[in-house]
Amino acid sequence: MQKFISFLLPVFFAVAATAQNPGNESASANLSLQRPKLVVGIVVDQMRWDYLYRYYDRYAAAGGFKRLISQGFSCDNTLIPYAPTLTACGHTCIYTGSVPAITGITGNDWFDYNKNNFLYCTEDDSVKSTGSNTMTAAGQMSPRNLLVTTIGDELRLATNFRSKVIGLAIKDRGAILSAGHSANAAYWYDNTSGNWVTSTYYRDELPDWVNDFNAKKMPDKYYALDWNTLYPLDSYIQSAPPTKIFPYSLKQYAGKNYQVISATPYGNSLTVDMAEAAVTGEALGADSITDMLTISLSSPDYIGHAYGPNSVEEEDCFLRLDKDLGGFLDFLDKKIGKGKYLVFLTADHGVANVPAFLNEHKIPAGNFDNEKVTAALNKSLEEKFNATGLVAGILNYQVYLNRNEITEKKINKDSVYTTVINYLLQDPSVDRAFALDAINQTTLNATVKEALTNGYYPGRSGDIQIIFHPQWIDGFLNGGTTHGVWNPYDTHIPLIWYGWNITPGKTNRNVYMTDIAPTIAAMLKIQMPSGSVGHVIEEVVK
């Protein structure tokens, strides 16, 4: 071995000397790694793909959507490859390139079988709120329930933590699960004080720029504007006639109720204001080390749930968002430099039409009464097995059973499953119901089976899967709508790339939400996240 090493040493030094030849220095300089100064991820919470074109003629030429479409690269058939299609799962998938079966983020909430209680996706009682005296449990948030890394984590690792990663959203889960474990900070909105806050997981004190932004009391300034339609009401011909009268009075909430702004278009404006403050305050994109800013726009989700995708409220939300995005791109052009930053815009999920609206137009649809079915199931199971509360709840389109009670009382699990499934199949909204641990033995369309398998993490998923008939939704019996299933209205989302090294164009082939993170990794020449199962979108990187 010593002779072998002795032989190699002269060869090594000879090669090293050749590498240090002055004639190679200029060539090495020309081959330096090229990266954008800043990566900006924009997730529109509850945006169906068709919104890009449903309102296309109404978007401003200088706005955001037409600029992104005409100057960017659009993946027009981007699909979510798992169910349930919910906010926490979507933000996680976008930035990890992975699915709930791997990330462990199986919903906004899930049943914790160890604690015998429901757990929120970013809940963490080991941390405290930073920046608010009014928040207790609502400030106790972190990414610790996320089992894998994000693309932001990988960027930080690749640059020895010199890159800055900041996450922003009105919803804590939208900020935290996008930014990842090692982010410099994630900030979300405290609807009791109107301030942006974080938790001690990230920081013990808010930085000066956040305190300065909070001191401006921007929600009160937006409340002073009230909410009227951006254009004359009779021009909203793409939407059903409004059921409420514009303008919505907001002045009454100033200094009193800071929750209301989230369900108005001004929630988007407030988030974009905060994003611009973050770029300036954190000096994002100011040096040669690539930074990342993740932005989630939560207001379309609040508005969409309340009024539905065919409402004037939702149309006005997107027309105003178009202006906000246009202003933000102008800001980035001036602050970072046109062509020096990379933007991608996508959504965490779509949304179903309001069942009553579909019924009016002779399209079959309806509502599943979650609470009524849960109560009826528990009553039936109690009569049969002499045990109370065997159904812990129905959540994420799954029935969670009280496994501890079934085990302690030595109840036959298969018999419980059969009783629950037979009851569910009698409900007019239910197409299929089956045990999740037997999904491989269940006859299903391949696309549906793959989506449900990708969404199944045994320790955090339910016991029995419910599949509704198309157009049927869970809850919202008194109006409004929701999302969460495998159908295209919930899984077909926009994906547009814009800026640094992006050639304008589009593809109609199917790509998937899981492909976003590995595509960013390929563009930045960094490792893809630890749970990634997606593929690089070649049309974007070439």
Side-chain angles (χ1 to χ4, degrees):
M1 177 62 75
Q2 287 180 337
K3 289 183 179 180
F4 181 67
I5 293 174
S6 297
F7 170 76
L8 282 181
L9 284 175
V11 176
F12 170 78
F13 287 119
V15 172
T18 302
Q20 293 174 11
N21 188 306
N24 293 330
E25 289 180 1
S26 59
S28 298
N30 291 333
L31 294 174
S32 61
L33 189 63
Q34 299 297 306
R35 287 174 176 158
K37 295 174 75 65
L38 177 65
V39 178
V40 181
I42 302 175
V43 178
V44 184
D45 196 331
Q46 194 185 121
M47 182 178 180
R48 293 161 46 134
W49 169 82
D50 59 333
Y51 288 175
L52 286 176
Y53 301 101
R54 181 182 179 88
Y55 310 128
Y56 185 84
D57 290 343
R58 309 210 70 194
Y59 291 142
F65 289 120
K66 279 186 176 177
R67 193 185 317 184
L68 293 172
I69 292 169
S70 64
Q71 299 178 30
F73 189 93
S74 181
C75 301
D76 276 1
N77 281 308
T78 302
L79 303 168
I80 301 174
Y82 62 81
T85 46
L86 301 170
T87 297
C89 309
H91 286 80
T92 300
C93 180
I94 290 165
Y95 289 96
T96 65
S98 194
V99 294
I102 297 171
T103 68
I105 303 299
T106 58
N108 298 332
D109 305 86
W110 56 79
F111 192 75
D112 188 320
Y113 296 103
N114 295 321
K115 296 181 179 180
N116 206 37
N117 203 352
F118 286 95
L119 179 74
Y120 181 61
C121 58
T122 53
E123 179 181 330
D124 185 354
D125 59 11
S126 72
V127 300
K128 297 179 181 179
S129 173
T130 299
S132 175
N133 295 323
T134 59
M135 295 175 70
T136 52
Q140 294 181 289
M141 304 291 166
S142 84
R144 287 197 173 106
N145 292 323
L146 174 62
L147 304 179
V148 299
T149 61
T150 65
I151 192 65
D153 290 327
E154 296 298 335
L155 176 61
R156 295 264 288 157
L157 285 164
T159 62
N160 197 26
F161 301 94
R162 292 179 295 161
S163 292
K164 288 184 178 181
V165 175
I166 302 291
L168 303 174
I170 284 178
K171 295 180 182 179
D172 50 64
R173 57 187 181 271
I176 293 168
L177 297 173
S178 301
H181 298 277
S182 67
N184 298 83
Y187 299 100
W188 55 93
Y189 181 68
D190 173 10
N191 58 30
T192 58
S193 67
N195 290 335
W196 289 80
V197 301
T198 187
S199 77
T200 52
Y201 176 89
Y202 301 103
R203 306 181 59 102
D204 293 329
E205 294 181 354
L206 293 178
D208 289 342
W209 70 266
V210 176
N211 286 323
D212 291 343
F213 185 84
N214 287 335
K216 294 178 181 178
K217 288 296 177 185
M218 294 300 294
D220 288 340
K221 294 181 179 180
Y222 283 116
Y223 281 155
L225 302 176
D226 288 329
W227 178 16
N228 207 341
T229 52
L230 185 61
Y231 303 109
L233 185 58
D234 60 8
S235 70
Y236 287 70
I237 58 175
Q238 281 294 98
S239 300
T243 57
K244 296 185 178 181
I245 299 174
F246 282 91
Y248 286 86
S249 175
L250 302 178
K251 293 184 181 71
Q252 59 185 307
Y253 302 116
K256 299 175 183 177
N257 185 335
Y258 288 109
Q259 185 173 3
V260 173
I261 195 171
S262 301
T264 76
Y266 299 130
N268 295 328
S269 305
L270 178 66
T271 305
V272 171
D273 292 339
M274 180 65 173
E276 293 182 0
V279 171
T280 301
E282 294 287 346
L284 300 179
D287 57 25
S288 61
I289 308 299
T290 300
D291 298 320
M292 178 175 285
L293 176 64
T294 72
I295 305 167
S296 177
L297 299 161
S298 307
S299 291
D301 187 66
Y302 290 114
I303 295 170
H305 276 296
Y307 306 105
N310 298 93
S311 64
V312 170
E313 288 86 351
E314 191 75 318
E315 180 176 351
D316 195 64
C317 172
F318 275 88
L319 296 181
R320 289 178 177 274
L321 175 56
D322 177 55
K323 295 187 69 175
D324 287 334
L325 290 174
F328 184 56
L329 294 176
D330 290 341
F331 167 81
L332 291 176
D333 284 346
K334 295 176 182 177
K335 194 74 177 178
I336 309 299
K338 194 167 185 178
K340 295 182 178 180
Y341 60 90
L342 172 67
V343 169
F344 69 89
L345 181 142
T346 188
D348 56 344
H349 54 73
V351 67
N353 291 291
V354 175
F357 173 81
L358 292 179
N359 291 160
E360 287 177 16
H361 298 279
K362 302 180 181 179
I363 299 174
N367 303 75
F368 175 78
D369 193 337
N370 190 316
E371 294 183 5
K372 181 179 178 181
V373 171
T374 300
L377 278 172
N378 271 324
K379 181 179 179 181
S380 176
L381 292 169
E382 183 177 359
E383 291 173 353
K384 186 168 184 176
F385 300 105
N386 193 31
T388 60
L390 290 185
V391 173
I394 300 176
L395 185 67
N396 305 331
Y397 307 89
Q398 298 164 357
V399 179
Y400 285 80
L401 296 174
N402 191 331
R403 298 176 186 176
N404 294 334
E405 186 76 4
I406 291 172
T407 301
E408 289 174 7
K409 295 200 172 181
K410 299 180 180 179
I411 299 171
N412 184 282
K413 183 187 76 170
D414 292 337
S415 183
V416 175
Y417 279 17
T418 300
T419 303
V420 172
I421 290 169
N422 287 340
Y423 183 90
L424 289 170
L425 291 174
Q426 298 175 35
D427 192 286
S429 65
V430 176
D431 178 49
R432 308 281 179 89
F434 54 87
L436 271 165
D437 59 7
I439 190 171
N440 288 334
Q441 289 78 49
T442 304
T443 302
L444 285 173
N445 169 272
T447 299
V448 179
K449 179 178 281 190
E450 182 179 17
L452 296 176
T453 301
N454 283 340
Y456 178 53
Y457 185 88
R460 296 179 180 179
S461 293
D463 298 280
I464 295 168
Q465 179 71 48
I466 303 171
I467 301 178
F468 295 140
H469 293 294
Q471 295 90 241
W472 285 73
I473 67 171
D474 184 8
F476 291 85
L477 305 178
N478 297 319
T481 187
T482 192
H483 51 85
V485 295
W486 69 269
N487 305 73
Y489 44 79
D490 282 355
T491 58
H492 188 187
I493 55 172
L495 175 58
I496 306 178
W497 305 83
Y498 172 87
W500 181 82
N501 274 13
I502 298 298
T503 301
K506 76 165 188 172
T507 178
N508 286 320
R509 75 175 180 88
N510 284 3
V511 301
Y512 297 90
M513 182 187 271
T514 46
D515 298 335
I516 298 172
T519 300
I520 297 170
M523 296 177 79
L524 300 184
K525 303 293 190 294
I526 63 175
Q527 182 61 274
M528 64 182 68
S530 60
S532 179
V533 295
H535 301 88
V536 176
I537 305 171
E538 291 290 344
E539 299 93 326
V540 174
V541 302
K542 69 179 180 181

